[in-house]
Amino acid sequence: MTLAAARALVAGARSIAVLTGAGISAESGVPTFRGPGGLWRNYRPEELATPEAFAADPSLVWEWYAWRRGLVAAARPNPGHEALAALERRSAAFQLITQNVDGLHVLAGSRAVIEIHGSLWRTRCVGCGEVRTDRTPAPERIPPHCPCGSLLRPDVVWFGEPLPEDLLGRSIDAVDACDLMLVVGTSGVVQPAASFADAALRRGAPVVEVNLDPTPLSGRATISLRGRSAALLPELISGGPEGGKS
Ligand code: BJW
Ligand code: ZN
């Protein structure tokens, strides 16, 4: 019943904004941050994803990122990523905003993707600021250095750091323009992404949440679907031109 109502919202939407989090990649074998499997060598992600942790022990933080790069390099997009790529192809206006740094949405064929927390596959020099693509599963030396002699860091957004202004602005524009928002696989506790759904709801746009577990958004979302995104997203988008066959 709720799934049917959510499918009708998706089928009738003209402008869709989607926010994804780690849960959508969980079924590709990429660990989430919070909950089971989120720990690495007994560290909580919150202890590692900070500028302070990097300043104190860049090798430790790089070893965590090298481990994650190895997992993601072996991972493939799952039917959840693929369903969102298919939804984009048949939508008049569509913007995917992801908090994930794994690049799996692009690999699945999504084009309108904003990676608001950066990418595992880029480094940034803390000295000269040069940003480079680096697709090696692990840096040759840990911690890696720039030719200018300074340390390289992952080009991601850590706690206490601002999100890139242009990406945040484009994300807010998409949320402000949408007539439907999907929120998939995020615990909804990390700002500013955690506020996007409320901005859509305040304007009267319906918000459909897809998550294994309840989140702070669940009580406010127009429809909150409980289950695995790799199973629910293909169901949710079926009924349109690409999904009508099932
Ligand atoms: C499934 C599933 C399946 C599982 N199917 N579902 C206002 C109020 C309070 C605090 C703040 C505030 N504004 C800013 C802050 C501070 C801070 C913050 O939000 N703190 C809170 C935690 C309290 N925010 C920041 O610091 C941000 N910066 C900022 O706002 O700057 C302002 C500023 C301006 C000017 C100068 C200086 C500063 C930056 C936040 C950066 C977050 N970075 C990380 C690391 C990125 C790099 C990396 O990946 O290593 O981003 S932390 C981590 O959390 C990562 C994620 O993108 C992010 C969100 O996690 P996500 O995706 O929700 O994952 P999980 O694990 O939490 O949840 C998974 C969900 O999936 C669960 O719900 C499961 O149930 C579900 N699930 N399997 C469906 N199969
Ligand atoms: Zn440099």
Side-chain angles (χ1 to χ4, degrees):
M1 178 86 119
T2 334
L3 179 61
R7 279 171 69 157
L9 284 176
V10 172
R14 281 171 294 108
S15 176
I16 302 178
V18 184
L19 173 69
T20 65
I24 193 167
S25 294
E27 290 166 84
S28 294
V30 182
T32 60
F33 290 89
R34 297 160 191 89
L39 289 184
W40 172 79
R41 293 192 200 164
N42 290 329
Y43 292 94
R44 290 163 55 241
E46 289 83 351
E47 295 171 308
L48 297 165
T50 69
E52 293 76 20
F54 188 69
D57 195 344
S59 295
L60 174 75
V61 173
W62 260 114
E63 278 165 25
W64 181 51
Y65 278 92
W67 172 72
R68 291 172 60 202
R69 277 190 184 195
L71 290 177
V72 173
R76 303 298 307 159
N78 65 55
H81 298 104
E82 285 157 7
L84 291 179
L87 183 59
E88 176 180 352
R89 288 194 287 274
R90 73 164 205 230
S91 297
F94 184 94
Q95 184 65 61
L96 176 49
I97 304 157
T98 187
Q99 300 170 84
N100 299 343
V101 297
D102 56 32
L104 290 177
H105 283 299
V106 173
L107 214 53
S110 286
R111 291 289 165 262
V113 183
I114 301 176
E115 292 177 319
I116 52 167
H117 289 165
S119 171
L120 264 187
W121 304 112
R122 291 193 309 262
T123 60
R124 187 165 87 237
C125 175
V126 301
C128 70
E130 178 93 7
V131 173
R132 295 184 184 84
T133 300
D134 173 8
R135 294 209 65 94
T136 52
E140 256 173 46
R141 279 202 202 130
I142 285 184
H145 284 80
C146 180
C148 83
S150 299
L151 264 180
L152 293 177
R153 58 165 282 178
D155 189 26
V156 299
V157 182
W158 284 325
F159 284 115
E161 297 183 322
L163 276 63
E165 210 175 314
D166 54 331
L167 301 189
L168 182 57
R170 284 171 50 210
S171 302
I172 292 169
D173 287 349
V175 169
D176 284 347
C178 75
D179 56 21
L180 172 66
M181 181 162 184
L182 306 180
V183 179
V184 183
T186 176
S187 55
V189 295
V190 175
Q191 297 292 349
S195 305
F196 291 171
D198 286 311
L201 286 168
R202 271 196 303 273
R203 286 179 33 250
V207 171
V208 175
E209 178 186 54
V210 175
N211 201 303
L212 265 187
D213 293 318
T215 74
L217 174 66
S218 302
R220 301 194 298 277
T222 314
I223 298 177
S224 189
L225 300 174
R226 203 65 59 243
R228 299 183 301 111
S229 50
L232 281 175
L233 286 177
E235 287 274 317
L236 198 56
I237 76 147
S238 64
E242 289 198 38
K245 291 161 251 154
S246 61

